[in-house]
Amino acid sequence: MNNNDIIIIGGGLGGLTTGALLAKEGRKVTVLEKNNIVGGGLQNFTRKGILFDTGMHMLGGFRPGQTLYRICQHLGIMQKLKLQSVDSDCMDEIYYASSHTTYRVAEGKAGFVESFATHFPHQRTQLQRYVDAIYELADEIDLFNLRPTGDGIPLHSERFMWPANEFIAHYIDDEQLRDVLAYMNPMYGGVSGHTPAYVHALISALYINGTDRFVGGSQQLATALTEVIEHAGGEVMGGAEVVRIAVDNRTVTQVQTKDGRTFSAPYYIAATHMGETLQLIDKGAFTPAYIKRISNTENSYSIFSLYVKLKPETFAYINHTCYYQHDYNQVWNLGQYHREDWPYGMMYMTPPREQQNEWATHLIINCVMPFSAVEQWQDTLTGRRGEAYAEWKAWHEQRIIDRMEEVKPGFTQCIEHIWSASPLTVRDYYHAPQGAIYGFVKDCHNPLATQIPVATKVSNLFLTGQCVGLHGICGVPLSAITTAEALVGKNKIIEQLQNISPK
């Protein structure tokens, strides 16, 4: 038993940020993480001397005055992070294999518009209206802009909950341009006719404002957040897998870890996927209706990742993110799986290292994939999935390499070694049902069903992470603010963030 104020279950970005914000408010926090190394999607792994990121590859919001910059300044960790800005004249590059067309996207509102107007000059006015509308939607959200919120239900414009694809079509006449403008779809798990326009707008505005990368791996953010918690007298424990959340009379009494330890505190925060939380908590803690609602909420798609160690001085370092689309009219179907057509698209990048020169040492390639593609092996364990699974993985690895050959002829000759991770890897590593990389799918037609409040009917249990708000490097810390303020007082942290110098 430990003397804690708050116990947080899960040491990923959500758990660590929530814990750091609470520690900043003087609370003693203990974070329990099942993996030996904390960080979740921030964690790195090393293969043959190369450090690979597992999740956080592109960073929006870290420029002076922006959302994450202010949060990190508030926590006193901004100066600890080693960041590198991507090229301002090309933050993203999109290649369409069917037309052999490459779109290079500049950062900033004006640069973004001009990048596409060069290819679609007849849409210049429409592009300007579209970008203005993106920022107008983003401005409707107080939390995204770190503004205090009132007690009433926030009012939004009609287009706020339009389907994202219809939002784009409302402003853009050209069908091909509509498709290209949805290229960030893999960053938010977009589903045609369902993903709300505000999700598309927030992600788009975040990255149009300028993107950065971690130099030397994303684990540094997890380390910095851990230090905030520990400096306040708290503890972040790896290898502490929670297997039970004990509840008596709708109140959590303690949590138990796999190795038999117990931890108790006045308050508890679950920073795990809600599906996982339901597996951990005692039966009867939640009503059958609540359990049914959570169980029936659709998970986002998963991902197949290829990690490539490159031969020395064979592949040029690319200081922006690259997208591959096999053809037009497929960007909203990335979550579908037909083996012979897969992958419809992919995202690849060369992460920067210390003293980066003109040559890349490694490459990460991510391809959207639904869990159904690996469902036949769902009851197997890592390293024991069988020969058929190994052959399946090898086939998909080669498909990705073949796609890369279309974009970068001779790519195969640059490869020294490859590793891969399937949706099963994601599921087992994050304990995310079906390997969901973005938590629950947001649905504009049924928003209440996919909005999970941070407070629960269990009196001292709160939630944080992407299942209760937005996902990703910016969305999860914003959800962390909401959760932390549920314990320390509404707008208390937001008002402090407003006083952070924008420089």
Side-chain angles (χ1 to χ4, degrees), residues 447-462:
L448 293 180
T450 55
Q451 294 293 328
I452 311 298
V454 300
T456 73
K457 296 297 184 181
V458 176
S459 62
N460 60 344
L461 175 66
F462 298 83

Side-chain angles (χ1 to χ4, degrees), residues 53 57-58 82-87 90-91 93 104 211-217 310-322 348-364 408 414:
D53 292 328
H57 310 295
M58 300 161 51
K82 297 179 181 179
L83 303 177
Q84 176 175 301
S85 296
V86 302
D87 297 329
C90 182
M91 65 171 188
E93 180 179 309
R104 294 172 61 85
T211 57
D212 299 278
R213 295 170 160 190
F214 285 118
V215 177
L310 298 162
K311 294 177 182 176
E313 299 186 1
T314 59
F315 195 94
Y317 171 72
I318 305 170
N319 194 33
H320 56 259
T321 303
C322 299
Y348 63 95
M349 62 221 76
T350 55
R353 65 187 190 279
E354 299 278 359
Q355 300 178 331
Q356 179 64 54
N357 59 22
E358 63 181 301
W359 300 107
T361 57
H362 59 299
L363 185 76
I364 299 173
K408 303 285 185 182
C414 301

Side-chain angles (χ1 to χ4, degrees), residues 276-392:
E276 174 69 8
T277 303
L278 292 181
Q279 296 297 315
L280 300 176
I281 201 162
D282 282 355
K283 292 183 178 177
F286 295 127
T287 66
Y290 183 82
I291 294 172
K292 182 178 180 180
R293 172 193 167 195
I294 298 298
S295 301
N296 290 340
T297 301
E298 183 180 0
N299 284 300
S300 69
Y301 48 56
S302 192
I303 201 165
F304 188 103
S305 297
L306 192 68
Y307 301 95
V308 183
K309 181 180 181 181
L310 298 162
K311 294 177 182 176
E313 299 186 1
T314 59
F315 195 94
Y317 171 72
I318 305 170
N319 194 33
H320 56 259
T321 303
C322 299
Y323 294 83
Y324 167 97
Q325 296 290 347
H326 188 62
D327 201 354
Y328 296 92
N329 300 318
Q330 293 181 337
V331 69
W332 292 103
N333 300 318
L334 297 178
Q336 298 180 9
Y337 177 77
H338 303 285
R339 177 166 170 152
E340 298 305 320
D341 297 324
W342 187 91
Y344 299 106
M346 59 190 187
M347 180 175 68
Y348 63 95
M349 62 221 76
T350 55
R353 65 187 190 279
E354 299 278 359
Q355 300 178 331
Q356 179 64 54
N357 59 22
E358 63 181 301
W359 300 107
T361 57
H362 59 299
L363 185 76
I364 299 173
I365 310 170
N366 290 328
C367 305
V368 170
M369 177 178 279
F371 190 75
S372 59
V374 295
E375 202 163 19
Q376 60 183 303
W377 297 288
Q378 65 179 333
D379 296 324
T380 62
L381 300 175
T382 301
R384 302 178 183 178
R385 305 201 195 279
E387 184 177 341
Y389 176 74
E391 292 175 353
W392 178 91

Side-chain angles (χ1 to χ4, degrees), residues 76-95:
I77 64 173
M78 191 64 217
Q79 71 279 7
K80 297 181 180 181
L81 305 180
K82 297 179 181 179
L83 303 177
Q84 176 175 301
S85 296
V86 302
D87 297 329
S88 59
D89 62 340
C90 182
M91 65 171 188
D92 292 320
E93 180 179 309
I94 315 157
Y95 175 77

Side-chain angles (χ1 to χ4, degrees), residues 18-95:
T18 306
L21 290 169
L22 289 167
K24 179 73 174 177
E25 296 300 311
R27 303 301 178 93
K28 186 178 178 183
V29 176
T30 294
V31 178
L32 305 175
E33 165 57 35
K34 75 178 186 70
N35 291 317
N36 291 326
I37 300 175
V38 302
L42 294 171
Q43 190 181 135
N44 305 132
F45 67 91
T46 301
R47 294 290 185 274
K48 294 188 178 294
I50 298 294
L51 187 72
F52 289 97
D53 292 328
T54 56
M56 302 299 176
H57 310 295
M58 300 161 51
L59 314 175
F62 280 94
R63 303 287 175 87
Q66 294 179 356
T67 304
L68 285 169
Y69 178 91
R70 288 175 179 257
I71 293 173
C72 290
Q73 283 285 79
H74 171 69
L75 294 173
I77 64 173
M78 191 64 217
Q79 71 279 7
K80 297 181 180 181
L81 305 180
K82 297 179 181 179
L83 303 177
Q84 176 175 301
S85 296
V86 302
D87 297 329
S88 59
D89 62 340
C90 182
M91 65 171 188
D92 292 320
E93 180 179 309
I94 315 157
Y95 175 77

